[in-house]
Amino acid sequence: ARLETEKYKKEQAEKSVQITFHADRKLDYDQQKLYCGGYLFLQYIYYGLQLDKTCRKIRDKYDFKFDINAILSDLVYNRVLEPTSKRSAFKMAQDFLEPPTYELHDVYRALSILAKESDLIQTDCYKNSSFLYNRDSRILYYDCSNFYFEIEQENGKKKYGKSKEHRPNPIVQMGLLMDEQGIPISIEVFPGNTLDHLTMQKSFNNSVDFIKDKNNRYIFVSDKGIGRGGNPKFSIENGNGYLVSKSVRGSTKAEKKWIISDEDFVYNTDDFKIKTKTYTKNYTLENGTELKSSEKIVSYWSKKFYTKEYEEQKSFYDTLRQIIENPESFPSNRLNNSKIKKYLKKQQNECNI
């Protein structure tokens, strides 16, 4: 039996497939010969996340006839390979090795259902992703972006707000939560006029079960825009940590004095230096109790970052230097510019006659 097994393995290893081509044979007219197979590696990930099972859960809750799993998978493949409209995505799927059995109107009908079941899809994706690789959710990164619509009137969550692309159109805000490896955990959509820092707590409360479970611990990381308001307290009172950036300009006088001093540096070179300070901060919880938290400030200076910032602001520094050296050469309206005015100090000269 062992010899037969080895013989079979050897035959399989040496097995070849012969394909015959006819150079003088004409191709049949109006018959597809080329297919797109680039989606096959994405198909492995899609079914590894068991999204087909998620689609079965959704199908059992609604009364529709189309294949929502085929629609969702084709939309995912299109979004990764060549992001286009839903109509173009349907057209692109026609060239797959497995062409769609649904129609274009089925895609549009499925969108509203997929939107309603967004939480279920995100939860299952996070839970099933552990079958593909080890997820580390001890450090969580959160940030916001927004998207504009080619409309002029507000509608639903599409509100006028501060567009990151400086567009005068209604927008929606989207909060994205991801792990230390940069893999998304969940997203949440907000009205376009919602400030970034007001999205954080709802995004965490509506996220996957790991985040909502108060027994799990994580460190929340964000920029200074999101890391303000009650968000640090939100992390602390739930037993978690936070790490947020903070500008020197927005620091207290005592913090500024400590930051610009040359003392307490634990690492100090010509290119980089850093120092830390620990202090106790008091938080008042909703029930009126006081919560003390030991927190740390980290201050650093980088020559590389300094050079970058200086080059970006060089023209502005040159303007300030010219004003100091020859203020009479600048018209008053330019000196009243808000960006320049805060660096100037009024001085009244007394004249005795």
Side-chain angles (χ1 to χ4, degrees):
R2 182 174 61 83
L3 293 175
E4 289 296 325
T5 302
E6 291 179 354
K7 180 181 177 182
Y8 173 77
K9 289 182 177 179
K10 185 177 180 180
E11 290 176 351
Q12 292 298 314
E14 297 176 352
K15 190 175 182 180
S16 61
V17 178
Q18 183 177 358
I19 301 176
T20 304
F21 291 94
H22 300 279
D24 58 344
R25 179 176 295 179
K26 295 182 179 180
L27 296 175
D28 295 332
Y29 180 73
D30 200 24
Q31 183 176 350
Q32 185 174 355
K33 296 295 182 181
L34 297 177
Y35 294 87
C36 174
Y39 71 96
L40 292 176
F41 79 96
L42 296 172
Q43 189 178 74
Y44 171 80
I45 300 174
Y46 180 89
Y47 282 94
L49 293 172
Q50 301 183 22
L51 283 170
D52 55 322
K53 295 181 180 179
T54 304
C55 288
R56 280 200 290 271
K57 295 179 188 177
I58 298 174
R59 182 193 62 193
D60 294 340
K61 295 169 62 176
Y62 297 88
D63 183 21
F64 54 76
K65 304 299 182 182
F66 51 80
D67 188 349
I68 196 168
N69 177 57
I71 293 174
L72 177 60
S73 60
D74 286 348
L75 291 177
V76 170
Y77 304 153
N78 170 263
R79 182 57 52 180
V80 176
L81 296 174
E82 188 179 354
T84 56
S85 66
K86 302 300 180 289
R87 181 183 180 88
S88 297
F90 174 73
K91 185 177 180 181
M92 176 181 175
Q94 307 292 328
D95 293 332
F96 289 169
L97 290 171
E98 304 156 301
T101 57
Y102 54 85
E103 300 296 333
L104 180 60
H105 60 265
D106 295 326
V107 177
Y108 295 129
R109 289 173 179 171
L111 293 179
S112 58
I113 297 174
L114 293 173
K116 290 179 183 178
E117 300 298 332
S118 173
D119 291 341
L120 172 64
I121 295 172
Q122 293 183 60
T123 300
D124 281 4
C125 272
Y126 178 80
K127 181 176 64 177
N128 296 330
S129 63
S130 60
F131 297 118
L132 298 179
Y133 65 97
N134 295 323
R135 299 207 65 160
D136 188 354
S137 300
R138 292 173 296 177
I139 298 179
L140 305 178
Y141 295 88
Y142 181 75
D143 201 1
C144 287
S145 186
N146 53 53
F147 306 91
Y148 71 89
F149 293 79
E150 294 285 1
I151 58 176
E152 296 182 358
Q153 300 297 325
E154 294 182 338
N155 181 17
K157 290 186 177 181
K158 298 183 279 292
K159 303 287 186 181
Y160 282 106
K162 189 174 182 180
S163 170
K164 294 185 182 298
E165 299 180 72
H166 309 289
R167 301 280 303 210
N169 306 95
I171 60 175
V172 294
Q173 287 274 71
M174 188 195 78
L176 171 64
L177 187 64
M178 62 184 184
D179 61 20
E180 187 177 8
Q181 298 164 297
I183 306 298
I185 296 176
S186 64
I187 61 171
E188 189 76 20
V189 178
F190 300 89
N193 55 4
T194 307
L195 297 177
D196 287 359
H197 71 282
L198 298 180
T199 67
M200 179 264 183
Q201 295 184 30
K202 186 176 179 180
S203 291
F204 276 65
N205 289 332
N206 292 346
S207 187
V208 297
D209 293 338
F210 174 86
I211 309 299
K212 292 187 286 188
D213 189 347
K214 303 301 181 183
N215 295 319
N216 294 324
R217 297 290 174 261
Y218 57 80
I219 297 176
F220 152 64
V221 183
S222 75
D223 59 21
K224 61 184 178 182
I226 295 175
R228 61 191 180 98
N231 293 336
K233 185 179 78 169
F234 172 79
S235 295
I236 295 297
E237 65 182 349
N238 288 316
N240 302 305
Y242 72 91
L243 176 63
V244 297
S245 61
K246 187 178 181 180
S247 66
V248 177
R249 187 180 301 172
S251 304
T252 64
K253 290 184 178 180
E255 290 173 342
K256 290 179 181 178
K257 184 178 179 180
W258 174 76
I259 290 170
I260 63 177
S261 70
D262 291 329
E263 301 176 353
D264 301 331
F265 282 107
V266 294
Y267 184 81
N268 192 346
T269 66
D270 293 336
D271 296 326
F272 186 83
K273 51 187 177 181
I274 187 171
K275 58 182 175 180
T276 64
K277 181 172 69 172
T278 303
Y279 67 101
T280 300
K281 190 171 182 177
N282 297 322
Y283 293 97
T284 303
L285 305 183
E286 292 183 358
N287 58 10
T289 59
E290 294 288 332
L291 176 64
K292 291 185 177 181
S293 173
S294 179
E295 303 189 5
K296 180 182 288 186
I297 299 178
V298 179
S299 175
Y300 75 92
W301 179 87
S302 166
K303 184 177 181 180
K304 185 177 180 180
F305 184 75
Y306 164 80
T307 304
K308 173 180 175 293
E309 288 288 302
Y310 181 83
E311 290 299 325
E312 290 179 355
Q313 302 291 335
K314 189 175 184 301
S315 61
F316 178 65
Y317 296 146
D318 291 340
T319 301
L320 290 179
R321 192 175 296 108
Q322 291 173 20
I323 293 175
I324 294 172
E325 295 174 354
N326 190 11
E328 292 82 7
S329 62
F330 286 84
S332 58
N333 60 340
R334 189 174 181 186
L335 294 176
N336 286 327
N337 182 285
S338 58
K339 188 176 181 180
I340 296 177
K341 192 174 181 180
K342 59 185 176 183
Y343 293 99
L344 303 179
K345 182 178 180 181
K346 284 187 176 181
Q347 183 174 348
Q348 185 175 355
N349 295 325
E350 294 185 359
C351 180
N352 297 323
I353 299 177

